[in-house]
Amino acid sequence: MTTATITSKGQITIPMKVRSDMGLAAGDRVEFVRMQDGHYAVVPASHSIRSLKGIVPRPDKPVSLEDMQDAIAAGANGQ
């Protein structure tokens, strides 16, 4: 188990192993999430926009503006 000490100002230093495991770097933010059992989980609150690269696959062929508009209209109509 990894531990940290709270300073007189209420600050802690997240140990390097934990930062590495969580993918955190200087300037990143974390959130403290209260769990149902009353404990808290510390989770990353922000990621670089670059971390989203590759999530949506490229289409096999270019999509026309008309196709995009049709898809938007279909989504708005709940189809």
Side-chain angles (χ1 to χ4, degrees):
M1 181 176 331
T2 304
T3 61
T5 302
I6 300 173
T7 69
S8 61
K9 293 183 177 183
Q11 299 172 335
I12 62 169
T13 298
I14 300 173
M16 186 168 64
K17 171 80 170 116
V18 176
R19 292 192 315 263
S20 176
D21 289 349
M22 294 178 72
L24 296 172
D28 285 349
R29 300 174 64 83
V30 295
E31 291 180 351
F32 296 86
V33 180
R34 186 177 172 105
M35 308 303 283
Q36 286 184 341
D37 63 3
H39 287 88
Y40 282 83
V42 180
V43 297
S46 62
H47 292 282
S48 166
I49 190 72
R50 291 185 176 124
S51 68
L52 300 175
K53 183 177 181 180
I55 288 180
V56 177
R58 292 181 180 257
D60 294 333
K61 61 178 180 133
V63 180
S64 71
L65 182 56
E66 183 178 309
D67 289 342
M68 284 188 248
Q69 290 173 337
D70 290 345
I72 292 168
N77 292 329
Q79 297 177 358

